[in-house]
Amino acid sequence: MSSRDEALCQACGACCAYSAEWPRFALETDAQLAKIPRAYVDEACGRMRCGGDRCSALTGELGVATACAVYAARPDVCRECEPGDAACGTARAHIGLAPVMRPELSTP
Ligand code: SF4
Ligand code: SF4
């Protein structure tokens, strides 16, 4: 992720608080999952533990300044998030933020 994208995401956090169903584990290995502190994991559901729709690893204030407490060990789905893609736009709209303009993502 570029430093521009990192700055965008740190001032947002919307996709980490959109749905408890989003930060779900998929193809991670046991070794990868073991790096995530258990306090942040919902073992029964196979995903990050959430409070409502917000991932328990998200710190800070949405739309202002946020961070991921397990950034280096975050699940694959979190690594695939791309500022400016459709899911990003949906999550940002949910908290009242304008979409990230990335013309290169809308060209076929
Ligand atoms: S919704 Fe988009 S800009 Fe906001 S944190 Fe997620 S990927 Fe980054
Ligand atoms: S693990 Fe980190 S990047 Fe993934 S949803 Fe939770 S706070 Fe966001």
Side-chain angles (χ1 to χ4, degrees):
M1 188 179 279
S2 71
S3 56
R4 173 184 177 268
D5 286 354
E6 282 185 8
L8 271 170
C9 292
Q10 286 164 358
C12 176
C15 58
C16 306
Y18 180 75
S19 168
E21 296 305 314
W22 278 21
R24 184 169 288 285
F25 306 141
L27 301 176
E28 292 87 352
T29 64
D30 288 347
Q32 285 173 304
L33 293 179
K35 292 178 180 166
I36 305 175
R38 296 300 90 184
Y40 297 117
V41 172
D42 184 334
E43 305 273 5
C45 295
R47 56 170 162 78
M48 296 298 291
R49 186 168 61 78
C50 294
D53 288 326
R54 180 173 171 139
C55 177
S56 60
L58 184 68
T59 63
E61 184 179 348
L62 281 181
V64 179
T66 60
C68 171
V70 301
Y71 189 74
R74 68 197 187 285
D76 288 347
V77 66
C78 308
R79 297 171 192 273
E80 289 162 10
C81 282
E82 182 113 34
D85 69 12
C88 169
T90 298
R92 285 177 65 90
H94 190 64
I95 63 166
L97 292 181
V100 173
M101 300 313 291
R102 294 289 291 272
E104 68 273 24
L105 293 180
S106 59
T107 48

